[in-house]
């Protein structure tokens, strides 16, 4: 108490049993963690939690709650309730005594997975530190769309759950399934939706990343699913100038081989064709040629006559926003091959994705720590950005497709049934998926989400799986939060994750000097035993500092063994 009073240090009791010495009455009742509950923010909460939309009630699930009636403090002390229930119980309040520090206490349990905790966490930290702390917090939402230009299987309603011959579950790309590929009208609708979304100040930077396969642009009907060959018959390609500038573009290889494992460059033990037809160069350099011609090292290495003779064959598209160093590898393959990552690096690749659902596999899988990616062990110059799969299946073009496949995966055929998932409806799948997205956003999680080209289909002429998911996600988010959403490219994600890892390794410590004086300052040190890094300091305005959600964030290079002191303005 003496330390907190002397240095004006605030205290947060994240969960406690209410008592009068913290400005609460004793608990009169409780809510078990098996129940759900609702509390409302008070008017005073708006200034304490400026990042939260305090007009929306806070819902609790999975948390034990002590219920304490409102408390009247002794003269000279104040209690400021922040959360109250319909009966007048106080679940969160700030207590300030005439002789002690400010103490914010909460009567409900929390953990890192519960939504109510994620809603409050940044605000609690910000209040306790008076807005000044090492590190930074942002909200992210990035989506990447694979297989652009080529067709995918579509799991239509009525698809048998089991293969009649093998009696195994029908494969997601079973040859019996019809195929789906986008048309110009789908992109017209998608672009109109994205442009409308960007008109909201909270989502101005939201822009999809398209991972494309160039072979789908040559007019070969085997890749487009169209009735006849020829680029002129393919309005997805001929209408490209009307929409390509609205998206980020990265390579997904030229013709999407099932695996990159075992592919090679021009080694004597490999393909003897000239040029090689199963090489890394075909997959990378030909796709680079499709994106930007020879200006960035692209080469036309496709020797398939069905591709190169189809009018007009392999041509350069000249994307407005294309990153030759960023790649989504087919099926996240090749990254754990002995030599493929080195070949990717030689062809200019620096950023790839991994799959967060893969466990225990080198050079793949989830983040080793929050917002940190993976350095490829075979090619350390390649950085892997973990990416989330989700319930929007790659072979679904509408909600009926998703519901049908969901029931096959979790239903009694081929079994065993997994209730309640065996009977969920499309709206429930949407609700679950968007809840997951919102939780990741509230965590400040950078990891992008995975989609595929059928998910962009305007199934009713206007709406798509993609637009439905993000419309509901952002509606839920805006009901909870006010911070703008950042949508980073694959390169930006990789750079940000590397910066976060460097920050972690630096082990920086900070001190506020001159507390209570007219000229306080912030002093930050990187120990002599640790590498230097760019250190983020929230609440510090400096030359070139970032302004995010009304908060200044400085990013200061501090070298090994160095101390930097800056005025706290």
């Amino acid at each position: 108490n003496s330390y907190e009073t002397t240095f004006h240090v605030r205290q947060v009791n994240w969960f406690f049993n209410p008592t009068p010495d913290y400005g609460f009455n004793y608990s009169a009742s409780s809510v078990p963690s098996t129940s759900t509950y609702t509390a409302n923010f008070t008017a005073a909460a708006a200034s304490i939690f400026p990042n939260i939309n305090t007009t929306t009630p806070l819902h609790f699930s999975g948390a034990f709650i002590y219920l304490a009636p409102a408390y009247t403090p002794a003269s000279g002390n104040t209690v400021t309730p922040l959360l109250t229930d319909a009966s007048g119980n106080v679940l969160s309040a700030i207590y300030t005594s005439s002789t002690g520090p400010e103490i914010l206490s909460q009567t409900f349990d929390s953990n890192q997975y519960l939504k109510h905790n994620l809603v409050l966490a940044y605000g609690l930290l910000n209040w306790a530190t008076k807005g000044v702390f090492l590190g930074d917090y942002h909200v992210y939402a990035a989506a990447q769309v694979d297989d652009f230009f080529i067709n995918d299987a579509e799991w239509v309603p009525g698809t048998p759950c089991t293969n009649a011959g093998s009696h195994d579950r029908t494969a997601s790309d079973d040859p019996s399934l019809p195929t789906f590929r986008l048309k110009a009208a789908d992109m017209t609708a998608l672009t109109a939706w994205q442009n409308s979304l960007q008109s909201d100040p909270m989502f101005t930077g939201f822009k999809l990343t398209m991972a494309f396969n160039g072979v789908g642009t040559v007019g070969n009907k085997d890749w487009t699913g169209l009735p006849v060959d020829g680029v002129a018959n393919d309005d997805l390609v001929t209408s490209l100038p009307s929409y390509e500038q609205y998206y980020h573009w990265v390579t997904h290889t030229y013709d999407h081989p099932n695996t990159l494992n075992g592919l090679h460059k021009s080694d004597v033990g490999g393909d003897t064709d000239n040029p090689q037809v199963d090489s890394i160069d075909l997959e990378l350099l030909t796709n680079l040629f499709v994106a930007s011609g020879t200006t960035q090292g692209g080469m036309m290495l496709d020797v398939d006559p069905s591709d190169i003779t189809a009018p007009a064959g392999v041509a350069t598209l000249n994307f407005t926003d294309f990153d030759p160093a960023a790649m989504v590898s087919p099926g996240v393959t090749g990254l754990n091959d002995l030599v493929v990552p080195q070949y990717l690096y030689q062809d200019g690749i620096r950023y790839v994705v991994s799959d967060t659902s893969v466990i225990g596999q080198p050079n793949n899988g989830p983040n080793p720590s929050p917002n940190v990616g993976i350095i490829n062990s075979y090619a350390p110059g390649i950085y892997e950005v973990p990416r989330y799969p989700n319930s929007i299946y790659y072979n679904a073009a509408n909600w009926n497709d998703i519901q049908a496949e969901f029931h096959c995966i979790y239903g009694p055929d081929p079994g065993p049934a997994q209730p309640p998932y065996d009977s969920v409806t499309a709206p429930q799948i949407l609700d679950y998926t968007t809840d997951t997205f919102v939780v990741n956003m509230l965590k400040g999680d950078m990891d992008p989400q995975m989609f595929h080209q059928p998910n962009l289909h305007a199934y009713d002429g206007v709406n798509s799986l993609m637009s439905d998911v993000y419309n509901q996600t952002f509606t839920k988010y805006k009901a909870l939060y006010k911070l703008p959403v950042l949508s980073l490219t694959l390169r930006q994600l990789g750079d940000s994750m590397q910066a976060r890892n460097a920050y972690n390794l630096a082990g920086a410590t900070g001190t506020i000097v001159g507390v209570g004086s007219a000229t306080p300052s912030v002093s930050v040190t990187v120990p002599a035993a640790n590498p230097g890094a760019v250190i983020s300091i929230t609440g510090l305005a400096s030359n070139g500092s970032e302004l995010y959600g009304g908060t200044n964030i400085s990013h200061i290079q501090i070298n090994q063994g160095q101390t930097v002191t800056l005025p706290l303005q």
Side-chain angles (χ1 to χ4, degrees):
N1 188 285
S2 175
Y3 165 79
E4 293 174 347
T5 302
T6 301
F7 294 101
H8 308 278
V9 174
R10 289 170 168 172
Q11 176 181 331
V12 171
N13 295 319
W14 212 285
F15 172 47
F16 89 130
N17 189 341
T19 59
D21 50 338
Y22 286 95
F24 284 77
N25 273 310
Y26 290 108
S27 175
S29 57
S30 62
V31 178
S33 60
T34 53
S35 299
T36 58
Y37 206 69
T38 298
N40 293 292
F41 289 99
T42 64
S47 61
I48 304 300
F49 300 116
N51 60 300
I52 296 176
N53 185 349
T54 55
T55 62
T56 302
L58 188 63
H59 301 289
F60 299 87
S61 179
F64 181 89
I65 305 172
Y66 291 107
L67 298 180
Y71 177 79
T72 302
S75 177
N77 304 332
T78 61
V79 174
T80 305
L82 303 176
L83 281 166
T84 59
D85 68 8
S87 299
N89 293 301
V90 177
L91 282 70
S92 177
I94 297 172
Y95 176 61
T96 306
S97 71
S98 58
T99 58
E102 297 174 276
I103 303 172
L104 192 160
S105 302
Q106 301 182 143
T107 68
F108 45 86
D109 199 2
S110 293
N111 65 44
Q112 67 269 36
Y113 305 108
L114 298 179
K115 187 184 292 185
H116 69 265
N117 177 67
L118 295 172
V119 170
L120 295 168
Y122 174 61
L124 293 172
L125 172 64
N126 208 46
W127 180 84
T129 62
K130 299 183 181 179
V132 182
F133 56 88
L134 293 186
D136 59 278
Y137 174 82
H138 298 81
V139 178
Y140 302 93
Q144 299 167 353
V145 183
D146 296 356
D147 302 352
F148 203 91
F149 292 127
I150 62 174
N151 56 9
D152 286 295
E154 182 181 2
W155 192 285
V156 296
T159 298
C161 296
T162 53
N163 184 283
S166 67
H167 302 290
D168 294 328
R169 182 184 175 273
T170 301
S172 60
D173 59 352
D174 193 273
S176 66
L177 294 174
T179 61
F180 179 87
R181 181 175 180 264
L182 293 167
K183 293 181 171 58
D186 297 312
M187 294 309 297
T188 298
L190 185 77
T191 303
W193 164 75
Q194 183 178 264
N195 289 345
S196 175
L197 190 64
Q198 291 170 351
S199 66
D200 187 319
M202 290 179 66
F203 311 116
T204 54
F206 185 79
K207 181 186 288 191
L208 301 179
T209 292
M210 305 298 189
F212 77 98
N213 302 101
V215 74
T217 69
V218 305
N220 184 342
K221 64 183 180 182
D222 290 341
W223 292 100
T224 64
L226 296 171
V228 292
D229 285 330
V231 176
N233 301 307
D234 183 1
D235 68 359
L236 183 65
V237 175
T238 57
S239 68
L240 186 67
S242 70
Y243 65 82
E244 63 85 15
Q245 68 269 28
Y246 297 106
Y247 304 97
H248 307 300
W249 297 89
V250 300
T251 187
H252 193 35
T253 71
Y254 181 62
D255 59 12
H256 202 296
N258 290 332
T259 179
L260 297 187
N261 297 335
L263 295 193
H264 47 77
K265 288 177 83 74
S266 299
D267 59 303
V268 295
D271 189 348
T272 57
D273 292 328
N274 186 21
Q276 295 182 325
V277 296
D278 64 348
S279 68
I280 288 294
D281 286 344
L282 168 70
E283 299 302 339
L284 271 295
L285 299 185
T286 307
N287 226 36
L288 183 56
F289 175 83
V290 172
S292 58
T294 59
T295 58
Q296 296 172 309
M299 298 175 63
M300 209 301 282
L301 301 176
D302 188 354
V303 297
D304 184 346
S306 298
D307 298 339
I308 62 178
T309 60
V314 183
T316 296
L317 303 179
N318 293 313
F319 289 120
T320 303
D321 179 357
F322 169 69
D323 188 347
M327 172 186 182
V328 176
S329 69
V332 198
T333 59
L335 305 182
N336 203 37
D337 186 277
L338 289 172
V339 294
V340 166
Q342 300 169 50
Y343 296 156
L344 297 179
Y345 184 84
Q346 290 172 27
D347 281 349
I349 299 302
R350 301 293 182 267
Y351 306 91
V352 296
V353 300
S354 68
D355 185 339
T356 62
S357 67
V358 175
I359 305 298
Q361 184 184 108
N363 297 305
N364 202 352
N367 310 70
S369 65
N371 284 347
V372 171
I374 301 166
I375 298 173
N376 188 273
S377 62
Y378 299 116
I382 291 180
Y383 198 77
E384 301 178 21
V385 172
R387 184 174 72 163
Y388 287 118
N390 52 66
S391 296
I392 308 304
Y393 300 136
Y394 87 93
N395 55 1
N398 55 63
W399 289 106
N400 291 332
D401 290 354
I402 286 185
Q403 183 171 293
E405 188 169 10
F406 212 89
H407 289 172
C408 280
I409 294 172
Y410 297 103
D413 181 10
Q418 301 178 52
Y421 308 110
D422 56 339
S423 60
V424 297
T425 63
Q428 290 173 313
I429 297 170
L430 174 61
D431 185 56
Y432 169 80
T433 300
T434 55
D435 270 353
T436 302
F437 282 25
V438 171
V439 164
N440 290 337
M441 292 171 68
L442 295 175
K443 286 182 189 174
D445 191 337
M446 290 184 194
D447 292 359
Q449 292 286 344
M450 175 176 64
F451 293 88
H452 289 78
Q453 60 92 19
N455 307 151
L456 307 183
H457 172 48
Y459 58 81
D460 61 357
V462 176
N463 300 294
S464 63
L465 296 175
M466 174 69 75
S467 65
D468 288 346
V469 166
Y470 276 103
N471 283 343
Q472 189 172 109
T473 295
F474 290 156
T475 296
K476 289 180 177 180
Y477 173 77
K478 287 186 70 173
L480 300 172
Y481 249 43
K482 296 180 178 179
L483 292 179
V485 176
L486 306 182
S487 182
L488 306 185
T489 66
L490 182 50
R491 177 189 289 264
Q492 290 169 335
L493 289 167
D495 289 345
S496 296
M497 289 184 176
Q498 291 180 83
R500 179 67 208 191
N501 190 50
Y503 172 93
N504 293 345
L505 295 174
T509 58
T511 305
I512 297 179
V513 181
V515 174
S517 73
T519 57
S521 61
V522 174
S523 182
V524 182
T525 299
V526 170
N530 297 347
V534 173
I535 305 301
S536 299
I537 309 168
T538 294
L540 176 67
S542 63
N543 186 30
S545 61
E546 171 192 3
L547 185 64
Y548 174 71
T551 297
N552 285 294
I553 306 173
S554 291
H555 304 280
I556 308 297
Q557 174 67 46
I558 304 181
N559 298 323
Q560 187 175 28
Q562 183 183 18
T563 296
V564 173
T565 300
L566 295 165
L568 186 58
Q569 301 171 357

